[in-house]
Amino acid sequence: MQVDVWAPTSVLLTVDLVILTLREGRLCVLLVERGEDPFKGMPALPGGFLNHAGEEILDAAHRELSEETALVAGGVHLEQLATYGGAGRDPRGRVVSVAHLAIAPGLPEPVAGTDAADAAWVSAEAVLSGEVGLAFDHHQIVADGIERARTKIEFSALATAFCGKTFTIVELQQVYEAVWDTELDTRNFYRKVQAVKGFIIPAGSERRSTGGRPARLYRAGPQSALFPPLIRPVPSTTEEE
């Protein structure tokens, strides 16, 4: 009787990065132009294969952050987002991607590297709306990354990752407005932020001139979880229509 010998399926592993920052008050995601097939010339997320079998996934994410964009990991919030392994997601074969979400304030103009022909910041709205088409299943990965950020700033201090070391409450409000893509009432936002103990704390006696009354500066506090949370506004029926 012939017994079939089982062999493991050949699977390749990559990392992809959803890198978010605010530029001119807009939420932007970093995209690279693919310099090689498949999808040569199309926008895509920065990422790539593991360098070798012994490379840790997080190390690969930090390496890609530097190699493909010339951005350094220091000061960048980096967390694992999700794993994407659809059988047809990559024409080169069965490729599984471990996607990561990266957030930092005031990131510089990117410089493409390795197999990327170009790199640029693109508004999140242009990607989510489908105005900018992406290679592979990267549209879904971007959408998941943005939704992760939108949800986490409700219940955690992640919003401060979009700010510098010190910031005003107005600047923090601009982060929430950009990430949630909605306008917020200034007085209501100020009241809610001040009600969350340990979320932000005064940065000594420092103040920033805004052309009018000097605004007090704050920095991220010790509290990572927000209670009460800052719940995202629900669009009204009129706005949806």
Side-chain angles (χ1 to χ4, degrees):
M1 179 177 179
Q2 183 178 359
V3 178
D4 293 332
V5 178
W6 179 84
T9 302
S10 177
V11 177
L12 298 174
L13 188 64
T14 66
V15 294
D16 288 307
L17 301 172
V18 181
I19 306 174
L20 302 178
T21 195
L22 262 60
R23 298 181 67 82
E24 299 180 352
R26 296 191 305 169
L27 180 66
C28 292
V29 60
L30 184 63
L31 299 179
V32 299
E33 179 186 331
R34 288 189 56 78
E36 301 176 356
D37 286 325
F39 304 109
K40 183 177 180 180
M42 284 194 66
L45 291 171
F49 293 98
L50 298 186
N51 254 353
H52 49 80
E55 185 177 34
E56 297 293 339
I57 293 175
L58 183 58
D59 292 339
H62 282 296
R63 175 179 53 77
E64 288 293 342
L65 184 69
S66 175
E67 282 185 0
E68 293 227 32
T69 66
L71 300 176
V72 295
V76 177
H77 170 88
L78 185 67
E79 65 176 71
Q80 194 173 116
L81 174 61
T83 301
Y84 298 83
R89 66 180 302 273
D90 193 315
R92 292 170 293 189
R94 192 63 186 269
V95 180
V96 174
S97 174
V98 181
H100 290 72
L101 174 65
I103 295 171
L107 292 177
E109 287 295 333
V111 179
T114 61
D115 61 348
D118 195 9
W121 294 107
V122 178
S123 73
E125 180 183 0
V127 177
L128 293 177
S129 67
E131 177 184 341
V132 176
L134 304 185
F136 305 105
D137 54 356
H138 289 185
H139 180 276
Q140 183 62 56
I141 299 176
V142 171
D144 291 346
I146 292 174
E147 183 57 32
R148 166 76 67 87
R150 286 174 171 174
T151 300
K152 286 196 72 171
I153 65 173
E154 294 185 66
F155 303 97
S156 77
L158 181 64
T160 59
F162 286 96
C163 301
K165 291 184 178 180
T166 60
F167 49 87
T168 66
I169 290 185
V170 170
E171 290 170 336
L172 184 62
Q173 178 179 333
Q174 290 170 348
V175 169
Y176 276 88
E177 290 181 331
V179 175
W180 284 344
D181 191 25
T182 188
E183 292 186 9
L184 301 174
D185 179 78
T186 300
R187 290 186 178 181
N188 193 35
F189 180 80
Y190 181 90
R191 177 180 58 81
K192 288 183 177 181
V193 167
Q194 294 288 19
V196 183
K197 293 183 179 180
F199 178 21
I200 60 174
I201 56 178
S205 59
E206 298 179 69
R207 289 180 178 271
R208 178 175 298 159
S209 176
T210 57
R213 191 175 180 180
R216 173 175 287 186
L217 291 177
Y218 294 83
R219 58 185 175 85
Q223 189 63 263
S224 58
L226 305 187
F227 184 81
L230 277 66
I231 302 301
R232 191 185 338 177
V234 177
S236 66
T237 304
T238 302
E239 289 175 341
E240 290 175 348
E241 292 175 353

